[in-house]
Amino acid sequence: MQKEKIILGIDPGTNIMGFGVIKIIGSEIRMLDAGVLNMTKHKDLGIRLKIIFEKMIELIDQHLPDELAIEAQFFGQNVQSMLKLGKAQGVAIAAALSRSIPYEEYAPKKIKMSITGGGNASKEQVAKMLSHLLKTKDIPESLDATDALATAICHHYQSGSITSGKKYSGWDSFVKKNPTRKR
């Protein structure tokens, strides 16, 4: 019997939080769910954090993930934005820990490198590569949702459980090795 694992990926934010759930069966990766939690109509940060916690618990109870993968903060934003993002991350992590789910954080460049082979890939390139990796055209339109899926897949790759699959040194390598694929 093949080992199965479910990973919940989160692209945190206090305005929009992306989420993606994947299931690993052997070397196959399946997308179970993906989307966004839009909180822009709520002005109060405390309300937004409560909504994040409640959505996390809902996702956890629905999909029963084995692990949480979350995008880490990146520097370069203004201090207030970083503080808010840190609070969103903390709430998402606390929700996972409240259900005894281990978590791991990944830097944005690490996620992009895992998916496309290049740490400076665009969000659109990441989304395009996800379509190939998941063998589906039903990739969410929201780049927050695709970032969350990428975070989950990055976590899978970093766990060392990859047993097969083509290797690409970057986006150009992928395109050259797949000339018949539509862009």
Side-chain angles (χ1 to χ4, degrees):
M1 185 166 156
Q2 292 185 348
K3 186 177 178 182
E4 294 184 9
K5 184 190 323 186
I6 296 175
I7 302 169
L8 170 58
I10 296 294
D11 179 19
T14 54
N15 288 322
I16 297 176
M17 178 185 85
F19 62 88
V21 184
I22 60 169
K23 183 175 191 175
I24 311 300
I25 304 171
S27 62
E28 182 184 356
I29 304 170
R30 291 185 193 162
M31 177 177 66
L32 297 180
D33 194 7
V36 295
L37 175 60
N38 187 333
M39 299 163 285
T40 54
K41 68 180 179 181
H42 301 283
K43 300 298 178 212
D44 183 80
L45 179 61
I47 298 293
R48 290 179 184 198
L49 295 175
K50 180 179 183 282
I51 292 169
I52 291 169
F53 188 85
E54 289 169 348
K55 181 63 174 182
M56 286 294 299
I57 294 299
E58 177 187 318
L59 288 167
I60 290 166
D61 289 349
Q62 179 182 355
H63 296 291
L64 304 172
D66 299 293
E67 299 165 358
L68 169 71
I70 191 164
E71 187 174 304
Q73 291 184 48
F74 58 93
F75 300 97
Q77 298 177 320
N78 72 48
V79 174
Q80 289 302 314
S81 294
M82 285 182 57
L83 289 172
K84 287 178 184 176
L85 181 58
K87 290 175 183 179
Q89 289 171 311
V91 168
I93 290 168
L97 293 175
S98 77
R99 294 290 203 261
S100 300
I101 297 170
Y103 75 95
E104 193 69 45
E105 292 182 73
Y106 296 96
K109 282 189 179 261
K110 178 78 160 184
I111 296 165
K112 291 176 181 181
M113 180 68 81
S114 289
I115 302 303
T116 68
N120 293 320
S122 70
K123 289 176 175 279
E124 292 80 9
Q125 287 173 319
V126 170
K128 188 86 162 169
M129 191 62 148
L130 285 175
S131 180
H132 170 72
L133 293 171
L134 295 169
K135 297 176 178 72
T136 182
K137 295 186 188 304
D138 292 334
I139 297 297
E141 288 184 25
S142 166
L143 296 177
D144 295 298
T146 55
D147 280 356
L149 282 170
T151 304
I153 293 172
C154 171
H155 178 70
H156 168 59
Y157 287 171
Q158 297 304 309
S159 70
S161 59
I162 304 170
T163 56
S164 66
K166 295 180 182 177
K167 301 284 186 205
Y168 303 104
S169 61
W171 183 252
D172 289 335
S173 171
F174 170 77
V175 172
K176 285 178 186 170
K177 292 180 182 178
N178 294 279
T180 61
R181 291 191 54 93
K182 292 183 179 180
R183 296 179 196 204

